[in-house]
Amino acid sequence: MDTELDLPPDLGEPETLRGISGSPGIAVGKVVVFSPRPDGFIRYRLEAGTEDKEEERFRKAVAQAKQALLELRQQFEGDLSDTLAIVDSHIRMLQDRMLFDQTLSLIQQKQINAEWALARTLSLIKRKFDHIADDYIRSRFADIEYVARLVVEQLSGQGRTFPAGFAEPVIVAGEDFSPVDTIRMLTDKVLGFLTEKGGATSHTAIVARSLGLPAVVGLSGLTSRCRTGDTVILDGYEGRVCLHPTQDQQRLHLEYARQHRTFSEEMRWYIRLASETVDGLKVRLSANIEIPDELESVIYYGAAGIGLFRSEFGYFQRKELPDEESLFTVYRDLLIALEPESVTIRTLDVGGDKLASQLPSNGIQLVRERNPALGLRSIRFSLHERTLFITQVRALLRASYYGRLKILLPMISSLSELRQVQAVIAEVMEQLTKEGIPFNPDVAIGIMVEVPSAVVLADTLAREADFFSIGTNDLIQYSLAIDRGNEYVASMYDPLHPAVLRMISQTVEAGHRQGIEVSLCGEMAGDVFSAPVLLGLELDELSMRPSAIPHVKRLLRHSTFSRLTALSKRLLQCGDSSETHALLKQYLTDNYPDQFADHERM
Ligand code: PEP
Ligand code: MG
């Protein structure tokens, strides 16, 4: 590939926006931004006696909208079955009684124009949808809204202006796209999609997946931050976009894209295969997620359940703190969706890099701390804000009745802290029993081992915890005294530091001596460079971002347990990072020569 020719210069400052992975893949190119359409729902009262005429105007607009969809359907008939099914559902919705009849009766009864009647109908329908617990069904309100807009465009006499063709291959960005917009754009050179709204089940995501194009959705601030003509890197694996990337970043990502294309076909095979070594060692490969929208990728990548659900993300960027009922619904739905696999939900872990100030402030006394990473963070915050914590514990216990829940406590640093939390949980269990609310009294309660004191006391803690999950992201930070978010010391942040490897090994041994399982859910679990080391250290479970699972599984299936443990034993003898890195590199080149490019990439 002649990358030099493909790299447009971009004069802006590089900036990364995080969103949700809508469809896997990487694209680098110029962006075309579609601004939101004006809503067009003009409002006026009808002159007496003109209701029938208005009704006729509405019927005609609906018929025209239907015709436009039918024409589009005909034009694109082929193998886009998922997408065309959505167009069919839009055609049906145009005739739906809820939308069509209700609008007609408002025109007649309230003597208001068709646009106004349609807007009122939409808000009535929205109110009904807002009460639906199922996220997927609730999000389908977007279809009804879309169909109504099509009609309004016909009412305005302008018809539908679908996004036009592109002369060059482009990445398309906007608030959100209808499936019709998306397939219409297919005739042109589209490299991928970016949307401000939507989750993993939004239409843009569904259609992009069915077309095999990368997409990132839910990118807040996208349309105000990025302009047509800007260069961007779209990373659909990680759910992020880099605006104004440097030429080096672009070159690197074009190479990633090439490697991903080569590997993805092969990786697909691994999704359904067992995660075990050639000589039969089984290791659970589970998923780390932040929001329930990621459930689809958990299933897609064949994760053995969820090893870490970072529950704090359900508290951020909201006006109000979530109540017990809404937390319960989210947890229960995850458990039901993944049954019989387990779902490990970590209690609120705020503070440090996950700013407590992102929480809605009602009822919470936030303190200013000089050193938040060592302050009132994580489980300390929960024990300090008891009401908030009890609400979450109630929601978790109630959900425990519906599947295999494991409750994970972050940042436990002493036995008394674990006991305090257990006392709160016991208290809540008593309350629920009195209230006659069902829960699982034997729900597993485990701890994150992510501060050095927990490693040193692992044998003691293992007697009272049901499982361990090693959080290397923090363990590295606290044991090597390196702020995980500080770019000046980032090069010293080393998962292969011998002290880190020995701490992992000590924790695994202490847990196994007490007969409890030990998982690892820090970023290094999904890094194929570190994975052989962790597998040799005999962790029972590695929890990682879903897209990394097939890569780690492939490595596992091409390994033997004896070779992995021999490697780990040698690594544990090393006295310095330079030795661990050299040893591992040698091991990888000797054992997986054809996969080594992949190791370097990830
Ligand atoms: C960790 O510390 O390794 C971890 C998994 O938790 P977080 O990154 O959310 O702090
Ligand atoms: Mg942590």
Side-chain angles (χ1 to χ4, degrees):
M1 177 190 314
D2 188 352
T3 47
E4 294 306 323
L5 290 178
D6 291 330
L7 303 180
D10 192 293
L11 302 175
E13 280 291 301
E15 182 187 359
T16 299
L17 298 183
R18 286 207 139 270
I20 297 163
S21 166
S23 175
I26 290 176
V28 180
K30 297 256 187 208
V31 74
V32 173
V33 184
F34 287 93
S35 337
R37 287 167 209 286
D39 97 346
F41 287 96
I42 47 166
R43 292 159 167 78
Y44 54 89
R45 291 212 175 268
L46 300 175
E47 277 175 39
T50 60
E51 296 88 345
D52 288 349
K53 218 167 123 205
E54 189 65 5
E55 185 177 319
E56 204 33 54
R57 190 169 82 93
F58 176 67
R59 286 182 187 277
K60 193 168 155 212
V62 171
Q64 284 166 336
K66 182 175 169 188
Q67 188 54 32
L69 287 174
L70 284 170
E71 278 168 18
L72 196 83
R73 199 191 186 295
Q74 239 169 21
Q75 200 179 333
F76 289 92
E77 199 131 33
D79 54 359
L80 295 174
S81 52
D82 284 359
T83 310
L84 291 176
I86 301 171
V87 179
D88 287 342
S89 76
H90 286 174
I91 294 173
R92 281 194 301 277
M93 263 177 219
L94 275 170
Q95 290 141 338
D96 187 273
R97 283 186 49 213
M98 212 168 25
L99 191 75
F100 190 75
D101 294 3
Q102 174 79 8
T103 307
L104 287 181
S105 79
L106 283 171
I107 293 172
Q108 292 291 349
Q109 287 164 18
K110 305 280 178 194
Q111 284 98 40
I112 54 178
N113 69 320
E115 289 90 336
W116 191 356
L118 195 51
R120 285 182 69 166
T121 303
L122 266 188
S123 56
L124 288 172
I125 298 174
K126 179 158 192 330
R127 249 180 275 157
K128 286 192 185 139
F129 268 70
D130 282 346
H131 287 104
I132 296 173
D134 186 302
D135 280 348
Y136 180 79
I137 297 179
R138 202 173 51 241
S139 69
R140 295 286 73 99
F141 177 73
D143 295 64
I144 302 178
E145 207 172 15
Y146 169 72
V147 162
R149 274 179 197 281
L150 274 186
V151 177
V152 166
E153 281 160 10
Q154 297 294 343
L155 284 166
S156 73
Q158 289 174 2
R160 180 74 172 140
T161 47
F162 295 108
F166 310 109
E168 299 282 324
V170 289
I171 292 169
V172 185
E175 254 201 344
D176 202 0
F177 297 110
S178 73
V180 176
D181 288 340
T182 322
I183 55 168
R184 179 79 195 185
M185 287 187 276
L186 183 67
T187 53
D188 303 294
K189 298 167 175 140
V190 174
L191 300 170
F193 299 99
L194 300 172
T195 68
E196 185 153 326
K197 290 189 177 164
T201 56
S202 68
H203 280 323
T204 308
I206 295 171
V207 174
R209 280 196 295 271
S210 92
L211 301 175
L213 287 171
V216 181
V217 296
L219 285 157
S220 81
L222 172 73
T223 50
S224 56
R225 286 246 209 2
C226 136
R227 297 214 174 84
T228 294
D230 286 350
T231 303
V232 302
I233 295 172
L234 180 170
D235 187 341
Y237 296 101
E238 300 296 327
R240 68 182 170 213
V241 56
C242 177
L243 311 177
H244 318 296
T246 62
Q247 292 205 331
D248 276 348
Q249 286 173 316
Q250 292 180 51
R251 202 170 285 118
L252 194 70
H253 279 80
L254 284 168
E255 177 55 17
Y256 286 175
R258 192 190 60 75
Q259 291 183 10
H260 269 296
R261 275 195 299 276
T262 319
F263 278 109
S264 57
E265 271 309 305
E266 190 195 340
M267 281 307 137
R268 226 172 283 217
W269 282 103
Y270 287 90
I271 290 174
R272 298 289 151 225
L273 298 179
S275 41
E276 60 185 6
T277 57
V278 177
D279 47 354
L281 168 79
K282 288 190 172 47
V283 180
R284 255 195 341 270
L285 303 181
S286 56
N288 287 358
I289 65 165
E290 275 88 48
I291 49 172
D293 274 353
E294 291 172 273
L295 182 61
E296 206 167 311
S297 71
V298 173
I299 293 166
Y300 177 79
Y301 289 108
I306 292 175
L308 172 65
F309 176 56
R310 291 180 162 101
S311 71
E312 53 276 7
F313 285 79
Y315 289 72
F316 295 156
Q317 291 176 348
R318 302 171 57 116
K319 285 204 195 77
E320 300 282 332
L321 286 169
D323 60 14
E324 179 184 322
E325 207 52 37
S326 62
L327 292 174
F328 161 68
T329 309
V330 169
Y331 303 159
R332 180 202 57 194
D333 291 353
L334 273 183
L335 285 158
I336 291 174
L338 287 170
E339 251 289 46
E341 301 290 357
S342 59
V343 175
T344 306
I345 301 182
R346 182 175 70 185
T347 63
L348 196 59
D349 182 14
V350 288
D353 61 325
K354 295 167 214 132
L355 298 176
S357 56
Q358 286 193 32
L359 292 177
S361 57
N362 45 331
I364 301 180
Q365 299 267 307
L366 287 180
V367 285
R368 277 179 81 83
E369 297 176 288
R370 231 183 303 163
N371 201 343
L374 303 181
L376 194 62
R377 78 162 276 209
S378 220
I379 200 68
R380 303 169 186 176
F381 180 84
S382 292
L383 287 169
H384 186 257
E385 294 292 340
R386 264 179 196 252
T387 317
L388 183 87
F389 187 42
I390 286 175
T391 303
Q392 185 176 33
V393 172
R394 278 183 66 95
L396 283 166
L397 288 175
R398 284 175 57 194
S400 69
Y401 183 71
Y402 295 88
R404 287 196 53 212
L405 174 66
K406 294 163 89 174
I407 299 177
L408 180 58
L409 311 173
M411 217 182 152
I412 293 288
S413 60
S414 68
L415 188 59
S416 60
E417 211 166 27
L418 170 60
R419 286 180 177 163
Q420 279 180 67
V421 181
Q422 284 168 334
V424 173
I425 295 175
E427 218 175 274
V428 174
M429 283 186 174
E430 221 171 282
Q431 274 174 14
L432 293 176
T433 310
K434 276 193 200 133
E435 293 166 32
I437 298 175
F439 62 93
N440 173 11
D442 300 317
V443 62
I445 301 166
I447 64 167
M448 293 280 297
V449 176
E450 53 184 345
V451 290
S453 62
V455 176
V456 176
L457 287 175
D459 50 352
T460 309
L461 291 164
R463 282 189 213 114
E464 304 200 13
D466 294 326
F467 65 95
F468 282 162
S469 186
I470 305 177
T472 41
N473 302 344
D474 276 313
L475 188 59
I476 298 168
Q477 143 162 292
Y478 291 124
S479 55
L480 304 186
I482 290 169
D483 177 349
R484 60 194 264 189
N486 181 337
E487 68 270 28
Y488 298 110
V489 285
S491 61
M492 295 162 73
Y493 185 91
D494 182 16
L496 296 179
H497 192 293
V500 174
L501 299 184
R502 289 185 202 185
M503 282 192 282
I504 296 171
S505 169
Q506 277 172 38
T507 309
V508 174
E509 280 182 12
H512 286 177
R513 268 199 305 274
Q514 287 302 323
I516 66 170
E517 287 200 343
V518 184
S519 164
L520 190 144
C521 61
E523 285 305 299
M524 72 185 287
D527 170 13
V528 284
F529 194 71
S530 312
V533 185
L534 301 178
L535 295 167
L537 289 174
E538 300 186 42
L539 283 135
D540 302 291
E541 175 180 356
L542 298 181
S543 190
M544 63 200 77
R545 62 182 193 286
S547 61
I549 291 174
H551 293 268
V552 175
K553 198 188 282 182
R554 180 176 66 158
L555 201 124
L556 181 68
R557 290 183 61 88
H558 287 92
S559 307
T560 61
F561 180 48
S562 49
R563 248 190 280 147
L564 291 167
T565 44
L567 166 72
S568 297
K569 278 203 184 95
R570 288 183 64 199
L571 286 167
L572 290 172
Q573 305 299 318
C574 293
D576 189 65
S577 286
S578 56
E579 293 169 36
T580 56
H581 281 265
L583 195 62
L584 181 60
K585 199 162 183 175
Q586 192 58 50
Y587 175 86
L588 292 171
T589 338
D590 291 348
N591 290 282
Y592 318 97
D594 57 326
Q595 291 174 35
F596 194 52
D598 191 25
H599 301 145
E600 300 246 76
R601 177 169 55 78
M602 288 186 76

